[in-house]
Amino acid sequence: MTKIYQTASGPMTAVDNFTLDVADGEFLAIVGPSGCGKSTFLRMLAELEDITSGDLTIRPGADPKKPLNSVVFQEYAIFPWKTVIQNVAFGLQMRGISEKDRMDVAHGWLDRVGLAKFANHYPHQISGGMKQRVSIIRALANDPEVLLMDEPLGALDAQTRVVLQDELMRIWEETRKTVVYITHSLDEAVLLGDRVVLMSAQPGRILDIYEIDIDRPRSIDTMNLPAFAEYRAAIWQRLSAEVTRAMEMQQ
């Protein structure tokens, strides 16, 4: 697929000839320099951006009532006037699920991520890491075919980010949800992904795809393995040139 924006200086190609298949149950991580079109690609998947050319298909599952996708953004996109449990249950409410059933589902997810005692708190009463947990489980509670994640841990401090990476790996092992995950962090991409897609500087194209052959389940300790360091070094060797090119384009 291709995405072209019309600007005052003329047409600008953000994503060019981007062709990708994602397997059912796969955790796919996408990395690339700033401004390469990673988020634009994700927004096209979420149907928040029109596609200039090409097509996109998310194959529906057995239950036609399930949403095709849910999105988790870097910002804490939760409603400040709703309690934690009301936020988690929101997608189910929009689908017409009964109050009892949606609250049962929401309570179950809050239990899984250690937020049960904060169910009736409002967002301003909980930490940033807790808010992002709420964003993630709200998306999962709606049981989408594909979970789209755009730098979901990017705004967190380093320690909280490590905790949520571990938690995200555990949740994914339990659900095996199809995930497309945008990140600037090579460590995060290699740690979480079954495959890592490397994008070029603008216009965003696929430079390479790396199969991450590291056993699961993984944990933060996985980052100490020699294989992890080898994958990270191999990806950075190609990415570094694209980062330099992106910076030169901005001058």
Side-chain angles (χ1 to χ4, degrees):
M1 66 177 73
T2 296
K3 176 65 178 182
I4 300 174
Y5 290 104
Q6 298 301 323
T7 72
S9 303
M12 186 273 288
T13 302
V15 177
D16 185 37
N17 194 26
F18 199 99
T19 301
L20 184 65
D21 289 323
V22 183
D24 184 31
E26 179 178 10
F27 199 121
L28 182 85
I30 301 178
V31 297
S34 295
C36 74
K38 300 184 298 296
S39 293
T40 298
F41 171 68
L42 196 85
R43 290 176 67 84
M44 288 192 290
L45 287 183
E47 299 183 329
L48 299 174
E49 291 270 3
D50 293 330
I51 300 170
T52 304
S53 63
D55 53 54
L56 161 70
T57 302
I58 298 178
R59 296 182 182 88
D63 184 356
K65 296 181 180 179
K66 286 173 58 173
L68 288 180
N69 65 72
S70 291
V71 187
V72 181
F73 297 104
Q74 179 174 338
E75 302 81 11
Y76 310 130
I78 55 179
F79 302 116
W81 61 88
K82 290 182 178 291
T83 63
V84 164
I85 194 165
Q86 288 170 341
N87 268 286
V88 175
F90 179 74
L92 298 171
Q93 181 181 0
M94 292 298 96
R95 287 169 52 197
I97 306 299
S98 71
E99 182 174 9
K100 180 184 183 305
D101 288 347
R102 67 178 183 258
M103 288 299 159
D104 285 346
V105 171
H107 274 297
W109 277 105
L110 289 171
D111 283 338
R112 289 166 87 166
V113 298
L115 290 178
K117 66 181 181 181
F118 299 98
N120 295 314
H121 285 55
Y122 286 89
H124 73 272
Q125 298 173 314
I126 60 177
S127 70
M130 290 177 182
K131 290 175 187 175
Q132 200 62 319
R133 277 193 184 97
V134 173
S135 295
I136 292 169
I137 64 172
R138 178 177 63 182
L140 287 164
N142 210 21
D143 199 17
E145 294 295 336
V146 180
L147 183 60
L148 305 174
M149 309 187 81
D150 190 2
E151 288 275 355
L153 309 183
L156 303 176
D157 65 80
Q159 292 175 349
T160 303
R161 186 167 185 153
V162 167
V163 170
L164 287 195
Q165 285 171 346
D166 231 2
E167 200 158 83
L168 189 55
M169 284 186 285
R170 177 180 59 79
I171 291 171
W172 183 83
E173 289 288 348
E174 293 173 2
T175 64
R176 292 288 169 159
K177 186 67 63 182
T178 305
V179 178
V180 178
Y181 192 98
I182 304 295
T183 180
H184 277 100
S185 168
L186 287 188
D187 286 345
E188 192 165 82
V190 175
L191 179 65
L192 299 177
D194 293 314
R195 290 187 297 162
V196 175
V197 175
L198 174 60
M199 288 182 66
S200 69
Q202 184 188 340
R205 303 184 179 101
I206 295 178
L207 282 183
D208 211 340
I209 300 178
Y210 299 82
E211 302 271 353
I212 307 300
D213 187 17
I214 297 177
D215 289 344
R216 292 188 185 273
R218 299 174 190 164
S219 69
I220 297 303
D221 291 338
T222 300
M223 297 170 68
N224 298 322
L225 296 176
F228 185 96
E230 290 169 8
Y231 281 118
R232 190 189 187 286
I235 298 171
W236 175 244
Q237 186 174 21
R238 295 207 64 185
L239 175 58
S240 59
E242 295 302 312
V243 171
T244 300
R245 189 161 73 89
M247 293 173 65
E248 290 171 347
M249 291 168 60
Q250 295 170 4
Q251 294 177 357

